[in-house]
Amino acid sequence: MMIIVFLFLAIVGTSGLYTNQKQLSPDYSIEWIVQDQHIFLRLNVSTTGWVGFGIGEPTSGSMPGADIVTVSVVNGAATVTDRFALDKVEPSPDTCQDWKLASAQESNGKTIVELYRKLITNDTTQDRSILPGENRVIFAHGTSDIFGYHASNRGATALTFYGAAPPTINA
């Protein structure tokens, strides 16, 4: 399994084979592909500070109850932290670090990060499963490499990473 993941990352990292892309805000875009029970993400953010992305609480899509990953790149070295949020405060580090780093770089005022994890982890208390159909997501970034408050550099939306999106009902 890990050999497949590493081979896939080598291909994706060099030739951009992500099959999906979404501009989440003027400063933040995401690309992804789901393969072999894993999700592979590429985050491209207009900042040289920290970058955050999360699977939101399913009913509200907000930060309380979210499963979050944060990444900082300092002098070419990246720090990845899997986190969970119980409220609208700084999310705590997870006891099980499920997000893995494939690559990270800062260049020309942008941070580009490639990450992956299993769609469904064994961490049932601090991780959200990434399910077929619509998933609520949150995203944010900071102006410093020290993880902290994002101010207005944040957003929330829904993405379909794989499987069918729910039907639209017109009222």
Side-chain angles (χ1 to χ4, degrees):
M1 173 76 80
M2 289 308 290
I3 292 172
I4 293 169
V5 170
F6 287 119
L7 288 173
F8 183 78
L9 287 173
I11 293 167
V12 169
T14 59
S15 60
L17 294 177
Y18 294 101
T19 56
N20 303 280
Q21 189 275 338
K22 177 81 174 182
Q23 189 74 36
L24 300 178
S25 77
D27 294 335
Y28 200 120
S29 69
I30 181 173
E31 296 173 78
W32 72 91
I33 188 168
V34 173
Q35 179 113 11
D36 194 33
Q37 301 302 309
H38 287 81
I39 188 163
F40 301 85
L41 302 178
R42 182 175 194 246
L43 309 176
N44 188 332
V45 186
S46 295
T47 187
T48 56
W50 63 267
V51 172
F53 179 80
I55 307 302
E57 193 281 325
T59 58
S60 70
S62 67
M63 188 171 163
D67 175 14
I68 300 167
V69 60
T70 58
V71 182
S72 293
V73 181
V74 179
N75 298 324
T79 302
V80 177
T81 307
D82 190 352
R83 300 173 179 272
F84 67 99
L86 296 176
D87 206 341
K88 290 185 179 180
V89 296
E90 184 173 319
S92 302
D94 238 344
T95 53
C96 184
Q97 295 291 303
D98 292 299
W99 283 101
K100 306 297 180 203
L101 181 70
S103 71
Q105 65 177 340
E106 287 182 341
S107 179
N108 298 320
K110 290 186 176 269
T111 299
I112 301 168
V113 177
E114 292 181 294
L115 303 158
Y116 67 96
R117 73 157 238 207
K118 288 183 177 180
L119 296 170
I120 300 171
T121 70
N122 292 327
D123 183 356
T124 58
T125 59
Q126 298 174 329
D127 280 353
R128 294 267 174 213
S129 294
I130 300 170
L131 300 171
E134 197 170 77
N135 289 262
R136 295 184 180 243
V137 299
I138 59 174
F139 55 95
H141 63 88
T143 56
S144 166
D145 285 319
I146 299 169
F147 179 65
Y149 185 58
H150 47 63
S152 63
N153 300 320
R154 63 175 172 77
T157 191
L159 294 175
T160 300
F161 293 112
Y162 69 106
T168 302
I169 298 173
N170 294 324

